[in-house]
Amino acid sequence: MFKKKLMAVLLGTALAASMLTGCGAASDTNSDDASTTETVTEAAADDSTGSDSETESDSSGSGKKVGIAMPTKSLERWNRDGSYLEEQFSSKGFEVSLTYSDNKIDQQVKDIEALIADDVDLLVIAAIDGESLSQVLADAKDEGIPVISYDRLIMNTDAVSYYVSFDNYTVGKLQGEFVKEQLDLDNAEGPYNIEFTAGDPADNNAGFFFNGAYDVLKPYIDDGKLVVPSGQTEFDQVATKSWDTATAMTRFQNILGSNYSDGTQLDVALCSNDSTALGVTQAIETDYAGNNSVIITGQDGDEANLANIVDGKQTMTVYKAVANEAVVTLDIGIKLLNGETPDASLIDSAGWDFDCAYDTESYDNNTGKIPSYLLVPTVVTKDNLQKELVDTGYYTMGDDGYPHPTN
Ligand code: GAL
C-alpha cells in the first residue's frame, strides 16, 4: 500500500506501476441510454466514502452545484464514473447534476448549455468529441465557471482549468509490453502475426493508447518478428468510431476473411479497450479458422471482458480505478471553488492512498499545456484478477465464478 507517495515531476509520461485500494459504495444507474440528467442534492453527508483530505475544513460543497457531463451509458465504465463522481461530490454537500448524452455530440453540447443555464459552480466533463465544445465552454468561461476535463482532454479552448485522467500513453505501453513478454519477442524467432484495433478518433485519448502500444512493438515490426498481414498500422486505418463493439467486430471479420482464410495464423489482436476487444473476440470466435489461442488485449475491466478473461478468451485488460479518478476530481474542484490554484502539492496534502502524478508538460489542448493529474493503470490477467479487482473491493466474485463491479 502506497501512502502519500508524491510523484510531483514535470513529466514526459512514463509511469507503470500497480497499486490501488478500494473505495466508493455502489449507487444505481438505470441502463437506458437516451440523454439523461439526474439531479442529486444531499446535505453535507458524513463523508465516509469521500476523500479524507486535509482541505476538509473548507471543503463543504453545501450551496454549491456541480454539473457532471458523461459521454454515454452504453460504454460500461462511464456508468461507474458517473456514480463515483456523484457519490464524491454529494458526500461534500454539493448539489449534483449528472448528464449522459447518448454518445451524441450535439446532445452533449445541449446538456452542457443546460448545466450552465442552471448556474452550476463547476463543470466536470468527459467529452464525446474533444473538438466540439469550444463554443459552449466559452460561455462557461464568460460565466466564470471553472471546467475540469475529465479523463479525455477537451481541445481548442482556454476554458479548461485542469485535466484528470490516467496516464494514457502508459495504458498503451502496458498492452505493448504485455505482448512483448507473452511472445518473448527479444528471444523468440517469430514471425508472429498481429492486428491492431484502436479507439474513436474524436477521443483525444485514443491516439495516446495506440501510440503507447505501437511504440513498444514497432521495432519488432521493423525487423520482421511481428507481421501485420492486413497492413493496417496507421491510427486512421485501425480506429473504431465511438469505440463501438459491433463496428470493431465487423472490421475484424473483414480482416480475417481477407487475410486469414488461407490458414494464416493470427497470434495477437491488440485492442485499445474492452468494448472493441469484445467485438474482436466475437469475430475470432465466428470467423477465425485457426485453433491456437490468440493474445487479446483490452482496457477498462468491463464485466463481459472479465468473464472472457476468466474463460481464457481474452488475455488481459488494463484496469483503471475510476473510483480514485473521482476522488482527485473532487479535491481539485473544492480547491478551485475556494479560489485556490491546485498544483503538485495537492498530491501530498490530499491524503490519497493511491499514486498520482502532476504533469504540466504532456497535455497541450492547442491553447497551451493543461496542468494534469495522472493516475496509474494496472495490468489485470486471470492470475491477478482476484488480488487487483476483488481484494481491493472494486469487484465482487459472483457465484457464477465471474467478477462483478461493486458499483
Ligand atoms: C476512453 C477511456 C477508456 C475507454 C474509452 C471508451 O477515453 O479513457 O477508458 O473507456 O474511452 O469509453
Side-chain angles (χ1 to χ4, degrees), residues 71-72 75-78 81 127 151-152 165-166 168 203-206 209 242-243 272-275 299-300 302 320 322 325:
T72 176
L75 289 163
E76 185 180 305
R77 66 156 286 182
W78 303 110
D81 292 275
D151 198 83
R152 298 170 172 181
S165 192
F166 282 79
N168 300 303
D203 177 353
N204 191 63
N205 287 349
F209 300 147
S242 304
W243 295 94
S272 283
N273 89 323
D274 282 352
S275 63
Q299 171 191 183
D300 288 333
D302 290 358
K320 306 190 297 185
V322 296
E325 199 173 358

